[in-house]
């Protein structure tokens, strides 16, 4: 069976058992601070397990794009080295939300595997939770008894808490699980060693394919378990492993999920991948295979993350994606000898293969390709720079001390890694090739220090919810009201390094808008008869609206008036509505390839990222501004459709975004011809925006531009400040009639003067040359001079070269302090570099310490800038040590 058909068979099977098929959620999670990415099928349904929302069907099935590259479930470093772990994989799942339980779930799993897919029963093993006294959870007798109807007892394995009790994180819903494992070894191997003994033993051909979790507990902050109000089923089957079992191969990478990608890599690199059936391969071939697996695995994770709106970046989830891609690039660079971008070429293959089921990858193929190509090119440049730095480093070391001492400090290697993203293993390889070693312990120490710094910075402890009003599901009334009488239904304390102690408050019916759709959360107050509590932010988490406060009211049971800060909200809504109009304007001016890729709407300004392949010209920006301002002048009223079927909204031309999860019914916001699916807060009429002004345009990534703009009062302030500046310029120019003309003529004059000055300085250096030549001192046969000169650094350089032309064996250190900025320039005649092992780079690095600075250059000429001009005399005094 082809992988496409296996996926379909699974979904159809569970549909026939009364399940509703839903699409995969985007790979990047929103509204859940405990997870960056979807790491299992159940993540998108957490709100149902927690009882914060009701699912549209108690039985759901899907295939979910998952990423296990951070947090509790992280497989990244294993990927490539084995044949069955991945960064991105699909998890087939079926769910019961308080509906069926073990006696349906397990027989269905068995039926699907053995009757629909007709997998060999003799190859299957199952596991059951053995129980745990400390947790007070008994042996799962029920699952055991169910399995006994299908398999002999010797195929049922009892597993401990690690293997058979599933938890998605440190807190939250969890429960015992029952796994199904498959033994794909040959008959001879199976006869020799029992499959049972290899279950959960990291054998590549005896692997878990399906996990059936029976959610009945909630793990609390103190580590204890409490019963959930209802019992749920959460199952997850590894799609790629199932394909391996069904396609008669022994590696996920030999299934049709990966073979087309592998063939493309072979075609690009001219290298061959050997399937898992080929045994006794050379060390070289093994390395090639690992690198190819890394690349074809990682490109999937990166491409789908980008398609779901997560661009590679330097922080958070974006940084994780960047690191995955860089891991792929350096495996190619080191083991496949790819020195130019090539991974982007795999996107077309991927889109072709997966695009039918996951249209987001097909529709955004060009964007994904461009982003990956640019990331590759830029990291390859970094690798090149790193190579130059490494060469310098090695040169400095050989030039400086005795040739035996070839170990390089761990802190240098760490700096290369940390600042330039230069991977340690690659550095190690290059150093080794050149006869160097480095202090690995020193490197690890630095790495540990950095890790504990960032761990400390992100430490958060979250208490359990304190429920004040049972069973209340909260509602949002903020589209119609900015004030409401409310009760607090639950509270929780969160203590983090970043924000200190904060309280999260949930209300029964809140007017506060929670951060979402780019718009920041409302601020405001909770006011009771006796006190006022400031709400500093509002966010959504697993379908709860959390109000953040620095302190709790004395009486949490009192009635409160929840009051939104309407000034801030009004400013945000102007920016939000302007964002919609600008989106429409960009599509009209630049073309319909423009799609929103990120948005931030706050009271001060708006920021909008969108797909577009080149710089937006000044003229185009003016057109966009004019387009939006025309819509403002037309005074278009807000048309809000609070809840319409998504299909109807899309048919009417509403814009939907990739990477967003939409329900069956959606809210649509219309101003004239602009129509978007949106949950945000908007102005009642475009006239309220007053005026729209773009303040910047730039690149965020390949093919992604960013515009920042302002509206309303911010524009008034902007114009006022522009006018002010102009007035100040006029005064500074002594009130000329024509400011522009006066400025241009000033510039002209300045250029002329600069030229004259250059000539004068050159002459001065020449005069100095004659004087300084007299001051040269002979030390150990070397013509030595260390002196501060009254020149700029350029002049010092000219002077050094001029003196260099005078004769041989010259060692020169010149110091300058133009505008108080100290600078050392060292010149050493070529023959001294060669014969006496002197190195100007090393000289300026050593002497640079006295002026609190550093620098480098070549062995015969180098410069160092610093911060402390008072150190010049000492630096000059020490220079003689080098020639002595
Ligand atoms: N949550 C379980 C897992 O991820 C089953 O879906 O393994």
């Amino acid at each position: 069976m082809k992988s496409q058909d296996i996926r379909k068979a699974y979904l159809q099977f569970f549909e026939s058992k009364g399940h509703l098929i839903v699409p995969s959620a985007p790979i990047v999670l929103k509204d859940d601070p405990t997870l960056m990415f979807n790491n299992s099928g159940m993540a998108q349904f957490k709100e149902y397990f927690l009882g914060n929302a009701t699912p549209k069907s108690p039985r759901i099935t899907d295939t979910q794009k998952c990423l296990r590259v951070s947090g509790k479930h992280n497989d990244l470093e294993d990927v490539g080295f084995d044949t069955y772990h991945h960064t991105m994989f699909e998890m087939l799942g079926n769910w019961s939300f308080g509906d069926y339980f073990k006696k349906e779930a397990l027989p269905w799993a068995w039926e699907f595997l053995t009757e629909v897919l007709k997998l060999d029963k003799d190859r299957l093993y199952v596991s059951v939770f053995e129980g745990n006294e400390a947790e007070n959870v008994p042996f799962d007798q029920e699952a055991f008894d169910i399995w006994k109807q299908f398999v002999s007892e010797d195929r049922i394995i009892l597993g401990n808490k690690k293997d058979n009790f599933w938890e998605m994180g440190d807190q939250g819903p969890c429960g015992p699980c029952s796994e199904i494992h498959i033994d794909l070894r040959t008959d001879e191997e199976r006869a020799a060693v029992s499959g049972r003994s290899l279950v959960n033993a990291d054998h590549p051909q005896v692997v878990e394919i399906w996990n059936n979790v029976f959610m009945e507990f909630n793990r609390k902050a103190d580590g204890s378990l409490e019963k959930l109000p209802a019992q749920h089923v959460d199952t997850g089957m590894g799609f790629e492993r199932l394909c391996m079992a069904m396609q008669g191969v022994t590696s996920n990478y030999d299934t049709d999920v990966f073979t087309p990608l592998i063939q493309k890599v072979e075609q690009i690199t001219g290298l061959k991948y050997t399937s898992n059936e080929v045994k006794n391969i050379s060390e070289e071939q093994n390395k090639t295979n690992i690198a190819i697996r890394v690349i074809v695995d990682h490109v999937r994770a990166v491409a789908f993350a980008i398609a779901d709106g997560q661009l590679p970046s330097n922080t958070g989830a974006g940084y994780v994606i960047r690191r995955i891609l860089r891991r792929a690039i350096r495996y190619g660079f080191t083991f496949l000898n790819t020195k130019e971008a090539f991974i982007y070429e795999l996107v077309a293959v991927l889109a072709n293969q997966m695009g039918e089921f996951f249209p987001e990858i097909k529709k955004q193929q060009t964007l994904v390709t461009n982003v990956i190509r640019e990331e590759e090119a830029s990291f390859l440049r970094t690798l090149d720079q790193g190579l130059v730095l490494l060469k310098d480093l090695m040169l400095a070391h050989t030039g400086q001390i005795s040739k035996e001492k070839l170990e390089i400090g761990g802190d240098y290697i760490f700096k290369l890694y940390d600042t330039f993203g230069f991977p340690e293993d690659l550095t190690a390889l290059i150093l080794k090739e050149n006869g160097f070693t480095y202090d690995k312990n020193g490197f690890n120490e630095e790495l540990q220090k950095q890790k504990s710094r960032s761990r400390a910075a992100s430490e958060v402890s979250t208490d359990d919810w304190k429920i004040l009003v049972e069973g209340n599901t909260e509602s949002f009334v903020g589209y119609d009201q900015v004030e409401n009488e409310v009760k607090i239904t639950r509270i929780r304390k969160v203590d983090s390094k970043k924000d200190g102690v904060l309280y999260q408050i949930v209300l029964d019916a809140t007017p506060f808008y929670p951060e979402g759709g780019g718009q920041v959360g409302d601020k405001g107050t909770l006011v009771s008869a006796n006190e006022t509590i400031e709400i500093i932010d509002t966010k959504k988490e697993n379908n709860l609206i959390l109000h953040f406060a620095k302190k709790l009211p004395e009486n949490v049971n009192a009635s409160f008036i929840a009051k939104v800060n309407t000034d801030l909200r009004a400013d945000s809504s102007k920016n939000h509505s302007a964002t919609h109009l600008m989106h429409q304007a960009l599509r009209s001016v630049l073309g319909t390839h423009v799609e929103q890729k990120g948005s931030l709407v706050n009271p001060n300004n708006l920021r909008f990222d969108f797909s577009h392949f080149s710089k937006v010209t000044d003229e185009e920006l003016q057109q966009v501004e004019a387009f939006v301002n025309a819509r403002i002048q037309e005074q278009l009223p807000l048309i809000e459709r609070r809840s319409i079927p998504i299909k109807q909204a899309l048919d009417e031309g509403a814009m939907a975004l990739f990477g967003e999860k939409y329900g069956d019914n959606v809210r649509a916001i219309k101003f004239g011809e602009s129509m978007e699916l949106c949950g945000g807060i908007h102005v009642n009429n475009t006239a309220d925006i007053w005026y729209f002004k773009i303040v910047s345009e730039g690149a965020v990534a390949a093919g992604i531009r960013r515009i920042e703009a302002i509206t309303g009062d911010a524009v008034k302030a902007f114009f006022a400040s522009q006018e002010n500046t102009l007035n100040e310029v006029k005064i500074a120019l002594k009130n000329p009639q024509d400011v522009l003309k006066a400025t241009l003529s000033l510039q002209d004059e300045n250029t002329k003067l600069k030229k004259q000055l250059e000539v004068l300085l050159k002459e001065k250096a020449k005069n100095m040359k004659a004087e300084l030549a007299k001051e040269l001192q002979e030390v150990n046969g070397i013509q030595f001079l260390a002196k501060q000169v009254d020149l700029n650094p350029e002049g010092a350089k000219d002077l050094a070269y001029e003196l260099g032309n005078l004769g041989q064996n010259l060692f020169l250190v010149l110091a300058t302090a133009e505008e108080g900025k100290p600078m050392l320039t060292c010149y050493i005649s070529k023959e001294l570099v060669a014969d006496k092992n002197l190195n100007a780079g090393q000289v300026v690095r050593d002497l640079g310490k006295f002026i609190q600075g550093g620098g480098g250059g070549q062995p015969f000429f180098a410069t160092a800038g610093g911060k402390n001009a008072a150190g010049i005399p000492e630096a000059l005094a020490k220079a003689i040590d080098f020639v002595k």
Side-chain angles (χ1 to χ4, degrees):
M1 263 173 116
K2 291 245 177 271
S3 56
Q4 307 270 17
D5 300 327
I6 297 172
R7 193 192 282 121
K8 269 187 210 142
Y10 177 86
L11 296 175
Q12 277 164 7
F13 176 79
F14 280 99
E15 191 175 39
S16 79
K17 305 284 184 201
H19 290 65
L20 177 74
I21 302 176
V22 302
S24 170
I27 216 164
V28 188
L29 274 173
K30 296 204 170 91
D31 301 337
D32 185 346
T34 64
L35 280 179
M36 267 183 189
F37 302 104
N38 241 309
N39 67 354
S40 57
M42 59 84 69
Q44 70 156 321
F45 303 122
K46 245 166 93 177
E47 59 197 52
Y48 305 146
F49 294 119
L50 290 166
N52 297 343
T54 323
K56 53 187 170 187
S57 161
R59 296 182 182 188
I60 281 181
T61 185
D62 73 0
T63 179
Q64 172 65 45
K65 297 171 277 185
C66 297
L67 214 49
R68 288 199 170 169
V69 289
S70 59
K72 187 174 162 78
H73 299 278
N74 186 348
D75 294 331
L76 181 59
E77 293 305 322
D78 288 333
V79 174
F81 291 92
D82 69 22
T83 50
Y84 59 104
H85 277 99
H86 301 291
T87 53
M88 186 193 111
F89 62 97
E90 276 180 66
M91 192 184 268
L92 302 168
N94 54 285
W95 283 273
S96 151
F97 303 108
D99 191 52
Y100 64 83
F101 209 47
K102 298 178 198 180
K103 67 180 189 322
E104 292 84 6
L106 296 179
W108 284 342
W110 192 255
E111 183 188 338
F112 178 67
L113 291 180
T114 62
E115 286 172 34
V116 179
L117 296 188
K118 302 208 177 340
L119 283 172
D120 183 356
K121 291 178 187 157
D122 279 351
R123 292 182 177 272
L124 298 175
Y125 292 86
V126 298
S127 69
V128 164
F129 185 47
E130 65 183 7
N132 184 299
E133 234 170 83
E135 299 267 23
N136 201 16
V137 183
F139 160 61
D140 193 348
Q141 184 72 48
E142 191 186 355
F144 186 82
D145 290 342
I146 295 168
W147 280 129
K148 270 206 315 199
Q149 300 167 31
F150 303 104
V151 294
S152 56
E153 254 181 64
D154 63 334
R155 294 190 163 264
I156 309 178
I157 291 139
L158 301 192
N160 60 16
K161 192 174 139 190
K162 179 180 151 281
D163 289 324
N164 282 79
F165 194 90
W166 203 83
E167 312 202 33
M168 83 195 143
D170 296 334
Q171 276 161 263
C174 54
C177 60
S178 179
E179 299 175 343
I180 303 174
H181 295 251
I182 193 158
D183 182 353
L184 297 171
R185 292 172 305 149
T186 60
D187 291 343
E188 298 81 66
E189 285 170 323
R190 290 198 296 143
V193 179
S194 86
R196 183 187 167 93
S197 67
L198 298 176
V199 166
N200 278 331
D202 288 334
H203 190 290
Q205 267 100 58
V206 184
V207 292
E208 176 199 344
I209 46 172
W210 201 344
N211 191 7
N212 279 251
V213 185
F214 308 113
M215 297 272 183
E216 36 181 342
F217 299 105
N218 180 35
R219 173 81 65 193
K220 302 198 346 181
D222 64 3
S224 65
L225 292 176
E226 69 180 0
K227 273 264 184 198
L228 288 172
Q231 293 176 322
H232 315 282
V233 174
D234 152 28
T235 91
M237 176 147 57
F239 172 65
E240 297 76 10
R241 292 184 186 180
L242 182 64
C243 291
M244 157 168 81
M246 287 299 292
Q247 296 181 354
V249 291
T250 53
S251 158
N252 289 359
Y253 294 89
D254 292 335
T255 67
D256 69 341
V257 177
F258 289 99
T259 45
L261 293 167
I262 292 177
Q263 281 158 10
K264 184 74 190 176
V265 177
E266 289 180 328
Q267 185 200 328
I268 296 169
T269 61
L271 294 167
K272 276 268 161 256
Y273 180 79
T274 57
S275 88
N276 205 39
E277 311 312 316
V278 182
K279 303 291 171 207
N280 300 323
I281 54 173
S282 67
E283 187 50 28
E284 198 63 24
Q285 181 65 53
N286 188 36
K287 283 184 181 160
T288 304
N289 286 354
I290 291 172
I292 293 181
R293 284 196 292 267
V294 165
I295 290 160
V296 297
D297 172 276
H298 290 10
V299 70
R300 290 170 22 110
V302 174
F304 273 97
I306 297 171
D308 278 347
Q310 184 55 65
L311 293 171
S313 76
N314 268 340
T315 51
Y319 189 51
V320 176
I321 298 303
R322 177 165 280 171
R323 276 197 354 244
I324 298 174
L325 182 54
R326 288 184 169 184
R327 188 170 185 261
I329 299 169
R330 77 183 148 92
Y331 270 87
F333 186 84
T334 313
F335 300 109
L336 307 183
N337 205 24
T338 46
K339 307 294 182 235
E340 274 169 29
F342 76 103
I343 297 173
Y344 71 93
E345 292 185 55
L346 302 178
V347 177
V349 181
L350 192 62
N352 202 10
Q353 211 185 330
M354 310 267 287
E356 190 191 323
F357 201 81
F358 299 101
E360 64 273 24
I361 193 81
K362 183 111 219 158
K363 292 204 181 118
Q364 297 180 94
Q365 188 181 326
T366 316
L367 174 81
V368 174
T369 307
N370 286 344
V371 172
I372 294 184
R373 182 176 42 213
E374 185 46 44
E375 275 288 308
E376 280 189 271
S378 111
F379 187 53
L380 288 167
R381 280 195 295 274
T382 303
L383 288 182
D384 273 344
Q385 268 174 14
L387 287 175
V388 171
L389 285 173
L390 259 178
K391 271 200 191 130
D392 266 3
L393 194 68
M394 294 191 284
L395 208 70
H397 274 248
T398 41
Q400 170 211 9
I401 344 167
S402 76
K403 286 206 167 132
E404 289 83 68
K405 204 174 168 200
L406 294 178
E407 188 180 82
I408 294 188
D411 50 339
Y412 276 118
I413 309 303
F414 181 76
K415 195 175 159 216
L416 272 178
Y417 160 84
D418 196 37
T419 330
F420 298 96
F422 210 75
E424 183 203 358
D425 53 357
L426 193 57
T427 308
L429 202 78
I430 295 165
L431 289 178
K432 198 169 151 214
E433 280 169 9
N434 289 280
F436 284 84
T437 59
Y438 71 101
D439 173 14
K440 191 164 174 56
N441 290 336
F443 175 85
N444 284 337
E445 265 168 37
E446 294 292 328
L447 192 66
Q448 280 316 319
K449 270 193 241 162
Q450 189 206 39
K451 277 195 179 152
S452 40
R453 270 195 306 271
S454 66
R455 203 172 312 126
S458 64
E459 239 161 52
V460 192
S461 77
T462 310
D463 283 6
D464 293 319
W465 283 112
K466 185 168 169 211
I467 311 284
L468 302 180
V469 182
E470 274 299 340
N472 194 303
T473 41
E474 165 190 46
S475 58
F476 174 66
V477 297
Y479 291 138
D480 305 307
Q481 285 163 246
V482 285
E483 259 186 55
N484 194 31
E485 189 174 334
V486 296
K487 283 279 198 189
I488 297 179
T489 59
R490 52 167 92 185
I491 45 182
R492 182 166 79 172
K493 183 173 139 193
V494 178
D495 191 351
S496 72
K497 266 264 151 49
K498 197 169 138 249
D499 302 317
V501 172
L502 288 178
Y503 296 91
Q504 299 175 339
I505 301 172
V506 179
L507 306 173
D508 52 357
T510 182
F512 281 76
Y513 177 74
E515 180 182 312
Q519 180 169 345
V520 297
D522 276 334
K523 295 183 190 201
T525 48
L526 288 184
V527 188
S528 71
N530 307 318
E531 51 186 333
T532 298
I533 299 292
E534 290 288 328
I535 299 300
I536 57 171
D537 201 358
T538 313
K539 287 185 181 174
K540 211 167 182 176
E541 181 181 318
N542 295 313
N543 206 43
L544 288 179
I545 298 179
L546 312 183
H547 306 75
F548 290 72
K550 288 201 175 137
K551 63 171 197 172
L552 282 179
E554 305 258 313
N555 177 8
V556 288
N557 296 310
S559 280
F560 294 87
I561 305 288
K563 288 188 186 178
V564 172
N565 179 326
T566 46
D567 289 342
L568 295 177
R569 183 193 262 207
D571 286 344
S572 288
S573 61
K574 286 174 196 166
N575 286 330
H576 202 156
S577 302
T579 301
H580 283 205
L581 297 178
M582 178 170 77
H583 192 187
Q584 186 197 5
L586 287 166
R587 288 171 66 90
S588 148
V589 174
L590 303 177
T592 49
H593 61 277
V594 168
E595 253 158 24
Q596 174 169 339
K597 286 291 155 211
S599 154
L600 174 68
V601 172
N602 63 45
N604 303 324
N605 64 350
L606 65 95
R607 197 179 78 195
F608 189 73
D609 298 344
F610 56 98
S611 45
H612 181 57
F613 35 79
S614 60
K615 187 169 169 50
V616 189
T617 64
D618 287 346
E619 203 187 349
E620 286 163 339
L621 288 176
Q622 276 163 16
Q623 284 173 23
V624 169
E625 245 177 44
F627 184 105
V628 174
N629 284 318
R631 303 291 86 73
I632 292 173
Q633 275 189 3
E634 279 169 20
Q635 309 190 5
L636 301 167
L638 163 72
I639 300 172
E640 180 204 3
R641 315 271 283 282
R642 191 82 47 98
S643 177
I644 53 169
I646 183 154
K647 185 163 180 324
Q648 184 188 338
L650 296 177
D651 286 349
E652 285 180 27
M655 298 277 305
L657 306 179
F658 289 111
E660 278 303 327
K661 195 176 132 194
Y662 295 107
D664 291 342
N665 287 305
V666 292
R667 181 169 178 255
I669 294 294
K670 231 177 136 160
F671 290 105
E673 299 294 304
S674 147
M675 182 169 176
E676 295 201 19
L677 302 186
C678 178
I681 308 281
H682 288 272
V683 294
N684 285 323
N685 188 297
T686 55
D688 299 343
I689 301 171
W690 192 72
Y691 199 80
F692 168 80
K693 179 97 198 90
I694 293 176
V695 289
S696 73
E697 190 276 344
V700 193
I704 311 276
R705 310 296 303 181
R706 167 171 293 176
I707 286 184
E708 290 179 313
I710 49 178
T711 62
D713 286 347
V715 182
K716 290 180 196 163
F718 175 79
F719 286 150
S721 125
Q722 296 274 310
E723 193 177 344
N724 222 350
T725 311
L726 187 60
N727 281 335
E728 279 168 12
V729 172
K730 268 190 196 154
I731 294 169
L733 291 172
K734 310 240 156 25
N735 283 318
Q737 289 246 314
D738 184 334
V739 189
L740 182 62
K741 212 165 139 197
T743 311
L744 291 175
S745 90
L746 199 63
Q747 274 177 351
D748 269 358
E749 204 175 314
N750 194 21
T751 317
K752 272 185 216 143
L753 288 174
K754 261 197 193 143
K755 277 196 188 129
Q756 285 177 10
L757 188 64
E758 258 169 44
V759 175
L760 288 174
L761 281 176
K762 278 228 154 67
E763 257 167 44
K764 185 170 171 192
K766 248 188 219 150
N767 291 339
M768 271 192 182
K769 177 183 157 190
E771 268 168 43
L772 292 186
K774 290 183 213 143
E775 291 182 35
L776 285 170
Q777 199 185 335
E778 188 168 326
V779 186
N780 284 338
I782 295 173
Q783 298 296 317
F784 172 82
L785 177 67
K787 193 176 166 73
Q788 180 162 358
V789 291
D790 183 19
L791 288 171
N792 63 8
E794 249 327 280
K797 181 177 174 181
D798 290 343
L799 180 61
Y801 275 85
E802 292 272 345
L803 284 167
N805 289 336
L806 281 180
Q808 291 204 322
N809 290 338
L810 208 69
F811 184 107
L812 214 58
V813 178
L814 298 178
T816 59
E818 195 198 23
E819 287 168 9
K821 270 193 72 191
M823 179 101 184
L824 299 174
T825 300
C826 177
Y827 179 96
I828 305 176
S829 300
K830 291 232 163 73
E831 57 285 352
L832 288 183
V833 172
D835 303 344
K836 305 262 169 170
N837 235 348
L838 283 167
N839 184 324
Q842 198 54 48
V843 171
V844 298
R845 261 192 291 275
D846 284 1
L847 297 181
K849 288 178 198 132
F850 297 108
I851 56 165
Q852 279 175 27
Q858 288 154 304
F860 70 94
F861 181 82
T863 57
K867 288 194 234 82
N868 175 28
I872 290 180
E874 203 175 353
L876 293 175
K878 286 279 187 304
I880 199 159
D881 293 353
F882 285 91
V883 292
K884 274 190 178 158

